[in-house]
């Protein structure tokens, strides 16, 4: 912290100590508390205001603005907590009113300080944001090859789920060869690893191909080595038939899902959203007047427009108002920031606190971003709705292995059954190739429709 050395500032610091002389302070507090108070006075330009030191104005908004400034200057939470303690003592002894709720501020800063201690570092959202051309926070204790791959994945804007999957396969490959220096290994060892997965691990063909994709990414993008035998070891994927819920099952299942999860349920089924698209939906992309949803950066980095079901318009309006109220509370506490994709955080540095960028389904907690280290409110966790749906399936006694994506499958199938054009369904789903959408015609049609079973003869 850089403080001015003017005589007036020094006088303020010394008089602050006289004002709180009755408090028993530790040595470090006697050193730093006057400096934090001095910094507060200088931030609000009260140095030459003529106010006596025992009458320095202090309100909730003034304290919060000062703390935000410290945060924006990358001052860690434990030091901001120290600053709050310094202001709290002065407020109790000199002002003696309830204009500032210091307990709320201290409680939140203690929580943030604990998070920073557990992570071992502090990163400001403005200085390091993974996925915006930066690598974010990388653990230096990891093997070098893992750290290199993690940096490359983040610089190329790969999602966190892909990063975790690919890193997991590289770690298993390291365990297979028993060596962290993968530059010594190539086609033979990769083939042995994939064979062991298929024969001993008995994994599905899609899992084997994911492992191959992770290893190939490492060799191509990190080591700049071409792997020429991909086609020969890639497993043949079986024909996929998605799980589809009937209309009666959709209605029955909805009775056992409530609250915010019920809104997500009808949004995924009624608009054909993927689970991630629903979780990541932002306020600005919902148009209640036109009853449309603009899906941003979906699979393949494509945008598309789909419908907002009429039956949930009022609930969606209420949800957005609830998010607005929560956002105002977060701003008052010095938070309210949200993740911005690509380079938007650099281009529009204040947009992260704008309400329009907030998630429609925010997390109930403010947590630390595992990549950038920034502390903020993210969208609802991916396991929350999935767990709720599993419980609802059991209570509704529907014996199908239905994941959240089954609601999107059901959306497409029921549209086609109702006579919708397949090209329209393709646009609503965001499929690049109509052959991908054609899978729902196979699910919709009964095989051997014109043939009578001998058991019924």
């Amino acid at each position: 912290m850089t403080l001015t050395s003017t005589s007036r500032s020094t006088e303020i610091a010394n008089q602050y100590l006289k004002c709180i002389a009755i408090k028993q302070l530790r040595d470090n507090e006697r050193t730093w508390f006057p400096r934090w108070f001095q910094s507060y006075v200088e931030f609000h330009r009260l140095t030459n205001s003529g106010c006596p030191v025992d009458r320095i104005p202090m309100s909730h908004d003034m304290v919060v603005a000062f703390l935000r400034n410290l945060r924006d200057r990358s001052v860690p939470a434990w030091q901001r907590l120290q600053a709050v303690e310094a202001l709290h003592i002065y407020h109790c002894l000199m002002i003696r009113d309830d204009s500032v709720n210091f307990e709320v501020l201290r409680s939140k800063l203690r929580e943030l300080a604990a998070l920073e201690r557990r992570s071992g570092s502090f990163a400001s959202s403005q200085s390091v944001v993974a996925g915006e051309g930066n690598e974010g926070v990388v653990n230096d204790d990891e093997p070098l090859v893992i750290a290199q791959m993690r940096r490359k994945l983040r610089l190329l804007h790969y999602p966190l789920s892909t990063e975790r999957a690919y890193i997991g396969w590289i770690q298993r490959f390291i365990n297979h060869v028993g060596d962290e220096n993968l530059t010594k290994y190539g086609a033979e060892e990769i083939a042995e690893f994939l064979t062991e997965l298929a024969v001993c691990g008995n994994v599905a063909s899609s899992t084997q191909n994911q492992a191959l994709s992770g290893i190939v990414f490492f060799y191509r993008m990190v080591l700049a080595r071409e792997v020429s035998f991909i086609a020969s070891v890639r497993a043949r994927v079986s024909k996929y038939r998605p799980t589809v819920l009937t209309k009666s099952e959709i209605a029955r299942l909805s009775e056992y899902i409530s609250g915010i999860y019920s809104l997500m349920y009808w949004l995924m089924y009624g608009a054909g959203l993927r689970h991630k698209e629903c979780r990541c939906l932002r306020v600005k992309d919902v148009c209640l007047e036109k009853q449309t949803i603009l899906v941003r950066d979906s699979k393949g980095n494509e945008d598309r427009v789909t419908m907002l079901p009429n039956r949930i318009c009022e609930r969606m309006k209420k949800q957005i108002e609830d998010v607005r109220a929560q956002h105002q509370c977060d701003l008052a506490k010095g938070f309210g920031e949200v993740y911005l994709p690509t380079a938007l955080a650099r281009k529009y540095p204040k947009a992260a606190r704008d309400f329009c960028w907030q998630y429609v389904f925010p997390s109930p907690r403010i947590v630390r971003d595992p990549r950038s280290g920034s502390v903020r409110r993210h969208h609802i966790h991916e396991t929350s709705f999935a767990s709720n749906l599993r419980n609802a399936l059991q209570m509704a006694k529907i014996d199908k292995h239905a994941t959240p994506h089954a609601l999107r499958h059901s959306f497409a199938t029921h549209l086609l059954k109702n006579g919708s054009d397949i090209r329209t369904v393709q646009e609503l789903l965001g499929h690049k190739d109509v052959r991908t959408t054609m899978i729902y015609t196979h699910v919709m049609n009964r095989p051997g429709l014109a043939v009578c079973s001998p058991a019924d003869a």
Side-chain angles (χ1 to χ4, degrees), residues 157-193:
H157 308 282
Y158 275 74
L160 182 59
S161 56
T162 303
E163 177 185 326
R164 287 171 173 166
Y166 281 14
I167 292 294
W169 288 118
I170 292 299
Q171 288 172 332
R172 291 180 65 171
F173 185 53
I174 289 174
N175 294 336
H176 173 77
V177 298
D179 190 357
E180 293 180 1
N181 184 11
L182 298 184
T183 58
K184 300 185 294 184
Y185 306 99
E188 183 179 349
E189 290 77 18
I190 296 174
E192 288 177 359
F193 174 64

Side-chain angles (χ1 to χ4, degrees), residues 260 283 317-330 355 358-362:
I260 192 175
V283 172
K317 183 178 180 180
K318 182 180 183 304
Q319 174 64 19
I320 291 175
E321 290 305 314
D322 290 345
V323 172
R324 187 191 300 275
Q326 183 183 62
H327 181 56
Q328 292 298 324
C329 290
D330 287 346
F355 173 66
Q358 302 302 306
Y359 292 111
V360 175
F361 302 106

Side-chain angles (χ1 to χ4, degrees), residues 282-335:
R282 299 184 190 254
V283 172
K284 69 182 183 62
D285 296 324
V286 178
C287 183
L288 294 169
E289 184 178 350
K290 295 182 179 179
Q291 291 187 210
T292 59
I293 295 173
L294 178 56
V295 183
R296 299 279 191 181
D297 297 324
S298 61
K299 194 173 181 179
N301 293 324
E302 297 286 342
D303 294 351
R304 74 178 190 278
V305 177
T306 186
M307 74 278 283
L308 174 64
N310 182 62
R311 69 179 295 157
I312 62 171
C313 279
E314 287 302 317
R315 293 171 63 188
M316 180 63 76
K317 183 178 180 180
K318 182 180 183 304
Q319 174 64 19
I320 291 175
E321 290 305 314
D322 290 345
V323 172
R324 187 191 300 275
Q326 183 183 62
H327 181 56
Q328 292 298 324
C329 290
D330 287 346
L331 289 174
K333 295 175 183 177
F335 300 105

